[in-house]
Amino acid sequence: MSNMSRRNFILTLGASASAALLAGCNTSKNSSTSSDTVSTDVVDPGGYTLVEDGKLTVAAELGFAPFEYMDETTGEPVGFDVDLIKAVAEKLGLEASYLPNQKFDTLVPLVKQGGKCDVAIAGITITDERREEVDFSDPYLDSNQAIVVKKDSGETEESLNAAGKKVACQSGTTGDEWITENLADAERVPLDDVTAALTGVSTGLYDAMVIDLPVASWMLTKSFSDLEVAKEIPTGEQYGIAVSKENVGLAVAISSALQSMETDGTMKKIKTEWFGSEI
Ligand code: ARG
């Protein structure tokens, strides 16, 4: 099937799946009768289903500050993405509800499989490969990669691309892929946890880590003053919210909510809160 006809096929499939579900349950706002009508300023986003009524169930890997991480005092997820998805949920008349922490490379399969979460938001870059598996909302933030090294190590992209150099990344990320493609001579070390990888660079276990630039900047400022960004890599990535292809109406509704948040200033407020005025 060509991309176009497959997309049409999926859209049709999504629409009929939603229609079937609408007949049997009340999880869609379009199916609302007077008792479950919610007030929202998102214009008719279309039908969708939810894992749990009234809730937007969210999956994330919660070690990616400032996008999502655990507040040590409250034990609750906090971050830019957390505020963003809470605001999206509110626009849809729902309450955002986080699943326990998930490994990053399980998020797309989890969304695809369905039944456990409605969305994944975790600084997830929209890629063609992931688009084969899940749908994405419209992009909500631009990002790039960074090579992080020990201060004054003198390491460069060129020096790292050599036998015996160990370059860490978070498993299944675009940083992971970048190492495979660009530092083919180095040993790539995929890990579940960003902090473990950065700690390894700090202690000399690894020579570098490749990670999203905004996270590198945040982590270096807050916790790793002995590390520096050796190179910013302009990958031109964009983050999106992942939704099951079976639930096309939800991706549409979320994109409408994001649009509405752009227009009413909510997006600007959240961006300023987390990144200051420069973004
Ligand atoms: N943007 C990168 C990607 O999509 C990294 C995302 C990692 N996110 C996380 N919550 N650990 O591959």
Side-chain angles (χ1 to χ4, degrees), residues 38-241:
V38 288
S39 140
T40 151
D41 56 358
V42 175
V43 189
D44 192 20
Y48 54 80
T49 60
L50 295 168
V51 168
E52 200 180 331
D53 258 0
K55 295 204 165 153
L56 188 66
T57 307
V58 184
E61 193 278 333
L62 297 164
F64 204 60
F67 295 101
E68 42 271 313
Y69 59 102
M70 292 303 255
D71 181 312
E72 272 162 27
T73 30
T74 64
E76 294 293 323
V78 289
F80 174 83
D81 285 350
V82 179
D83 286 349
L84 184 97
I85 202 68
K86 281 184 181 165
V88 165
E90 201 173 308
K91 290 271 177 202
L92 303 179
L94 302 170
E95 195 196 328
S97 162
Y98 268 80
L99 294 181
N101 188 35
Q102 310 288 318
K103 286 185 185 174
F104 181 75
D105 55 10
T106 66
L107 293 175
V108 167
L110 192 72
V111 169
K112 183 180 177 179
Q113 163 202 318
K116 291 273 194 321
C117 65
D118 300 307
V119 298
I121 178 168
I124 305 176
T125 302
I126 303 172
T127 66
D128 288 344
E129 213 180 348
R130 291 173 181 161
R131 266 208 184 107
E132 299 268 310
E133 311 296 324
V134 293
D135 268 353
F136 281 98
S137 68
D138 290 343
Y140 63 84
L141 200 84
D142 295 339
S143 187
N144 287 309
Q145 294 292 308
I147 302 178
V148 176
V149 300
K150 190 132 177 137
K151 263 186 192 163
D152 305 323
S153 66
E155 294 285 7
T156 63
E157 180 179 348
E158 293 69 32
S159 72
L160 288 165
N161 193 16
K165 297 288 180 181
K166 291 187 177 164
V167 184
C169 57
Q170 190 173 43
S171 187
T173 57
T174 45
D176 188 345
E177 206 180 311
W178 190 88
I179 298 171
T180 307
E181 285 168 9
N182 297 280
L183 300 177
D185 291 338
E187 182 189 338
R188 182 180 54 94
V189 186
L191 302 167
D192 286 338
D193 188 59
V194 168
T195 303
L198 290 173
T199 305
V201 179
S202 179
T203 59
L205 192 57
Y206 313 122
D207 299 290
M209 175 182 196
V210 178
I211 183 171
D212 297 35
L213 177 60
V215 178
S217 306
W218 179 280
M219 296 293 277
L220 269 44
T221 311
K222 303 270 172 195
S223 325
F224 291 93
S225 54
D226 57 331
L227 303 184
E228 66 184 0
V229 172
K231 188 176 181 188
E232 298 185 6
I233 311 161
T235 47
E237 292 171 54
Q238 292 191 302
Y239 295 164
I241 300 165

Side-chain angles (χ1 to χ4, degrees), residues 8-25 27-28 31 46-50 244-250:
N8 285 343
F9 171 74
I10 288 163
L11 281 174
T12 315
L13 192 72
S16 51
S18 309
L21 281 157
L22 293 187
C25 65
T27 49
S28 160
S31 71
Y48 54 80
T49 60
L50 295 168
S244 163
K245 283 181 185 283
E246 309 282 316
N247 210 0
V248 180
L250 184 58

